[in-house]
Amino acid sequence: MSMYRKLLVAVTIVAGNVFAGDSPNLGEAVTAAEIAVADYTVLPNGDGLPTGSGNAKNGAAVYAKHCLACHGDEGRDGLNDRLAGGHGTLLTDNPVRTVGSYWPYATTLFDYVRRAMPYTTPGSLTNDEIYAVAAYILFLNGLVAEDTNINSETLPSIKMPNSDKIVWQYRPE
Amino acid sequence: MTDIGDLPVAGNGLLNRRLFLQAGAAGAATIMTAQASAQDQPDSMRIPGAGMSESGAPSRYESELYRRAIASQPGTTGAGVSRTPLEHLDGIITPSRLHFERHHSGIPDIDPGRHRLIIHGLVKRPLSFSMDALARYPSVSRIQFLECSGNSGALLSAEPVQSGCGELHGLVSASEWGGVPLSALLAETGVTANARWIVASGADAAKMSRSVPLDKIMDDAIVALYQNGEPLRPANGYPMRLFLPGWEGNMSVKWLHTIKVVDQPAMTKDETSKYSDLQDDGDLQLFTFPMAVKSVITSPSPGLNLGSTGIYQVSGIAWSGAGRIRRVEVSADGGESWADAALDELVLPHCLTRFRSAWAWNGGPAVILSRATDEAGNVQPTRAAVLEGRAVGTFYHYNGIQAWQVNRDGSVNNVYV
């Protein structure tokens, strides 16, 4: 069934089940500016990535200042999730799951850090700083060079070691 | 009355499931023959009790009604879980204050007057909805479970973890969830022909986000505003949350703020790094959405010790993301033999179903189990079957049969069979 027909069917069902009236139609128009403030989503194809850039060299400083206290020196042995290393360990008795060993998409790093990190002050980093710290975490995992420029073009093109392994357990119609 | 009830229906003392109906009537008759004597009455029957109050609380004698095993990421207080004390509850509805919690950056304090739900992306008209607006939409209300897909993860440990039922399995709860079908709001925004998924994000400090297939959204997703008849509790997403019947809890994004309609999943942290299942051949399974058929005996269970020998109720909960529970079987001999448990009257789709069996404990050691079957014919697997094919350290989506060992002294503990 096409999504259009589905929508029609769904609306009919909803209206039919509850009261046979029309929707009150109370949604208010939102401007592009309002959406821009609220939209944090980055897709694997890079859609949603903002302008800006950074490399691991500047990222090391961002990391030291904003992340190291919780995620440890070079993304290891911190209080919170380990971010680097673990390559080749996933199928051993001591699997180490990190951004480098486990994450299938590099874009997730920008999406998540921009939303939620640093844990106590999310939203405090500039886009350049987020690109830079993402570059640094990728560098710690041997996925980019120290001076690779990470931006909306390069981030989605980074091939993550685990990306070939994903299997969708659910596929929408 | 004992002729039906005493009939064993499976090994090691499982009795006919109708026993309790029979016993109830007899119990009442016995009480009515006792003589009342004023002097012997307790204070509660001689002195007027306390007055009314604006909000109720449990009896002061109920000291076990609190959430268990509260744990947060190191250095944080709001990035973690608290669990429903399943073994101290009966029926199918979880009191709202005991509903399990899983937050990723604490519980936000949101002013409903300022909060908006924004729907944008691959839509014809991006729209925002206020609380006042949503209150006017035709809504639905259904009693349904919510389970974190990390529930029961402790059962992956090589040795059985010795904890209570709620500590092990208490990341499942059930409530009456009321709200507006999301399909109605999407009908208003319209979606473009290539729309396949939505990305839902919360207004918490993590902006917690999950991708959800559009077919599920159109099918039965709601923007929930009510839980058990009152506005959502802050810990459950006040003033609004996404609610996806039967699907892994993390996807029912709390404090729902934005819905972006997209053509592909966003591959967010919580659908790739977390809530994914690595297999022993290296495959990384994503998007295991419906929660698999499952049950657990809540009583007897660790901490609820048996006393004298004789008849006990074996009671528990069963649920499935595939729909209704069709059947729950109970064993008292470690799975050698099974008998159907009685299901309480309310057997609802995507809801907890309460089951009960009668069991004559002879004082010897026993291993009690429950096994649920859902209306799609899925049968709850053994622990070994769940583990098969999984890589070490993979702990989400565990639905194995739980075995409780009843010991001679009446104590109960977690055991693998």
Side-chain angles (χ1 to χ4, degrees):
Chain A
M1 200 190 293
S2 80
M3 208 44 81
Y4 282 121
R5 280 208 44 213
K6 243 198 155 139
L7 269 172
L8 281 175
V9 171
V11 173
T12 318
I13 290 170
V14 169
N17 264 357
V18 187
F19 39 85
D22 290 326
S23 160
N25 279 316
L26 297 171
E28 298 164 64
V30 264
T31 63
E34 287 171 299
I35 292 170
V37 173
D39 183 14
Y40 284 85
T41 297
V42 173
L43 299 183
N45 64 9
D47 189 283
L49 281 171
T51 53
S53 67
N55 64 29
K57 273 205 174 111
N58 348 110
V62 177
Y63 185 88
K65 189 165 172 211
H66 298 286
C67 324
L68 191 144
C70 297
H71 292 288
D73 199 21
E74 303 198 333
R76 295 155 204 258
D77 307 320
L79 270 179
N80 297 112
D81 294 57
R82 181 166 162 171
L83 304 178
H87 307 271
T89 66
L90 292 188
L91 299 182
T92 67
D93 284 343
N94 289 305
V96 178
R97 297 175 176 187
T98 71
V99 173
S101 70
Y102 197 78
W103 288 31
Y105 295 96
T107 45
T108 308
L109 202 47
F110 193 99
D111 178 285
Y112 181 65
V113 173
R114 181 168 64 166
R115 286 175 189 276
M117 292 290 137
Y119 183 82
T120 41
T121 53
S124 61
L125 302 185
T126 64
N127 289 334
D128 285 344
E129 287 174 316
I130 300 170
Y131 277 119
V133 81
Y136 179 65
I137 293 167
L138 294 167
F139 167 70
L140 292 175
N141 283 292
L143 295 167
V144 300
E146 205 168 6
D147 57 359
T148 305
N149 189 35
I150 296 299
N151 55 37
S152 62
E153 294 297 316
T154 52
L155 186 64
S157 67
I158 292 165
K159 175 139 169 53
M160 301 295 275
N162 222 17
S163 63
D164 292 340
K165 294 295 184 184
I166 62 168
V167 183
W168 291 22
Q169 300 299 108
Y170 185 96
R171 261 183 205 283
E173 297 161 27
Chain B
M1 66 127 227
T2 47
D3 47 344
I4 301 174
D6 277 350
L7 271 185
V9 288
N12 201 17
L14 270 185
L15 302 180
N16 190 288
R17 58 187 156 142
R18 271 188 283 270
L19 177 65
F20 278 105
L21 301 176
Q22 310 289 326
T30 315
I31 288 164
M32 285 194 311
T33 61
Q35 286 297 318
S37 148
Q39 299 93 309
D40 296 340
Q41 282 173 350
D43 286 357
S44 67
M45 297 173 73
R46 296 187 296 129
I47 306 167
M52 282 63 75
S53 64
E54 291 189 336
S55 185
S59 161
R60 66 189 176 100
Y61 301 104
E62 289 299 329
S63 56
E64 299 288 353
L65 298 179
Y66 58 91
R67 290 192 279 232
R68 304 299 154 118
I70 298 177
S72 193
Q73 300 283 344
T76 70
T77 54
V81 293
S82 71
R83 298 160 214 258
T84 299
L86 298 174
E87 65 272 43
H88 299 291
L89 302 177
D90 201 326
I92 58 172
I93 294 181
T94 310
S96 298
R97 55 185 196 85
L98 297 177
H99 193 289
F100 81 85
E101 298 170 278
R102 172 69 175 108
H103 317 306
H104 290 265
S105 198
I107 304 166
D109 178 0
I110 297 176
D111 175 352
R114 298 187 54 192
H115 186 78
R116 291 286 180 282
L117 171 62
I118 297 174
I119 304 182
H120 67 107
L122 300 177
V123 296
K124 294 177 183 156
R125 289 166 297 277
L127 295 174
S128 102
F129 297 86
S130 67
M131 287 293 289
D132 286 348
L134 290 180
R136 284 178 51 187
Y137 280 74
S139 41
V140 296
S141 193
R142 303 189 192 101
I143 306 175
Q144 289 166 329
F145 78 80
L146 187 72
E147 183 181 23
C148 174
S149 62
N151 194 22
S152 317
L155 276 293
L156 271 292
S157 311
E159 296 300 320
V161 173
Q162 295 312 329
S163 299
C165 182
E167 289 170 355
L168 294 171
H169 302 291
L171 293 178
V172 65
S173 305
S175 304
E176 181 183 357
W177 298 100
V180 180
L182 200 38
S183 55
L185 306 182
L186 284 175
E188 205 171 312
T189 62
V191 300
T192 64
N194 55 338
R196 288 293 174 278
W197 294 74
I198 63 130
V199 181
S201 305
D204 57 328
K207 275 80 88 192
M208 226 298 297
S209 64
R210 283 296 301 261
S211 308
V212 184
L214 192 55
D215 53 20
K216 175 67 172 178
I217 294 294
M218 300 313 295
D219 188 21
D220 61 0
I222 65 168
V223 178
L225 308 172
Y226 289 92
Q227 178 186 6
N228 295 330
E230 63 177 351
L232 299 179
R233 297 275 170 121
N236 266 293
Y238 182 85
M240 61 177 78
R241 78 175 303 165
L242 185 59
F243 190 83
L244 304 173
W247 283 24
E248 70 175 355
N250 180 257
M251 304 176 79
S252 284
V253 173
K254 293 182 286 194
W255 314 295
L256 183 63
H257 179 35
T258 62
I259 287 181
K260 183 174 192 174
V261 180
V262 289
D263 60 355
Q264 58 186 289
M267 300 295 181
T268 69
K269 183 265 260 184
D270 286 307
E271 61 209 27
T272 55
S273 172
K274 305 293 191 268
Y275 306 108
S276 57
D277 302 303
L278 188 69
Q279 304 300 298
D280 62 9
D281 59 2
D283 278 357
L284 180 58
Q285 294 183 350
L286 306 184
F287 309 152
T288 301
F289 295 150
M291 296 306 293
V293 63
K294 187 165 172 181
S295 70
V296 61
I297 294 170
T298 53
S299 173
S301 68
L304 303 184
N305 292 359
L306 277 65
S308 58
T309 59
I311 294 176
Y312 284 83
Q313 170 182 236
V314 173
S315 168
I317 47 175
W319 65 99
S320 169
R324 287 181 179 79
I325 287 297
R326 191 168 74 197
R327 176 183 199 197
V328 180
E329 299 155 284
V330 170
S331 171
D333 55 12
E336 294 281 316
S337 61
W338 299 83
D340 279 325
L343 305 183
D344 272 7
E345 199 172 337
L346 270 186
V347 179
L348 301 170
H350 307 130
C351 191
L352 299 184
T353 293
R354 175 64 58 176
F355 65 88
R356 306 173 193 278
S357 287
W359 177 45
W361 181 47
N362 64 13
V367 174
I368 56 174
L369 319 167
S370 65
R371 178 170 69 192
T373 303
D374 65 25
E375 63 183 344
N378 303 303
V379 181
Q380 187 180 6
T382 62
R383 177 174 178 275
V386 176
L387 297 197
E388 193 167 326
R390 290 194 177 198
V392 172
T394 297
F395 73 95
Y396 298 108
H397 304 109
Y398 179 90
N399 69 324
I401 292 172
Q402 172 65 55
W404 300 128
Q405 165 82 50
V406 177
N407 303 300
R408 278 186 198 286
D409 64 2
S411 63
V412 183
N413 59 269
N414 182 16
V415 68
Y416 295 158
V417 292

